[in-house]
Amino acid sequence: MAFTRATGKHRRPSRMHRTTARAAGVAALATTGVVGSLAAPALAAEPEVEQSGLTPVVSIGDSLAEEIDAQATAQEQAAQDAAAREAAMEAARERAAEAAKEARVAKERAAREAERQRLNTFVAPITSSYVSTAY
């Protein structure tokens, strides 16, 4: 087994090799849009757009503008409907939670009242008994 680096050196050398220089050159050519002889002469000869300082404006017909407005209105209405549904569902959840809480409280009150009724009734320890002493 042959070693190409000295013992203890586990990293690649820091100086640039021919492979990295070649890759950097190709990358530089690729960013400019010309890679070797693959560039088409028609693309290279195309004139650059002259900057006149005017903003280009695209004009669309009234019917298309009306359609876009109708779509925007429909989207806004759908968003409002969804928000209203969500608010109604939230209110229903809150009402259900309140009803469950009230039911639990009513059940606890009934249980306490039943316990009071049970504790307030007098029951003789032994039926038909006679107590002879008065202390």
Side-chain angles (χ1 to χ4, degrees):
M1 187 183 225
F3 293 103
T4 59
R5 291 184 178 82
T7 306
K9 181 140 180 144
H10 301 289
R11 295 194 184 105
R12 191 172 182 166
S14 61
R15 60 190 155 104
M16 188 167 55
H17 289 284
R18 291 180 67 98
T19 57
T20 56
R22 190 176 307 126
V26 170
L29 285 175
T31 58
T32 60
V34 179
V35 177
S37 63
L38 296 177
L43 290 176
E46 187 174 315
E48 188 173 325
V49 177
E50 183 179 326
Q51 297 295 328
S52 63
L54 298 175
T55 305
V57 176
V58 176
S59 154
I60 56 176
D62 290 338
S63 63
L64 182 58
E66 290 172 0
E67 281 184 40
I68 292 172
D69 287 341
Q71 286 176 353
T73 304
Q75 288 175 352
E76 288 175 8
Q77 185 63 37
Q80 290 174 355
D81 291 346
R85 276 194 305 272
E86 184 62 32
M89 288 177 64
E90 183 64 29
R93 282 188 214 112
E94 289 176 4
R95 285 193 305 269
E98 284 293 321
K101 184 179 177 181
E102 289 175 6
R104 188 182 71 232
V105 168
K107 187 176 179 181
E108 289 174 0
R109 283 185 185 155
R112 283 195 305 264
E113 184 62 31
E115 184 67 17
R116 273 193 219 105
Q117 290 294 331
R118 187 184 68 80
L119 292 175
N120 288 337
T121 57
F122 174 74
V123 178
I126 301 172
T127 57
S128 69
S129 68
Y130 174 74
V131 179
S132 61
T133 58
Y135 56 94

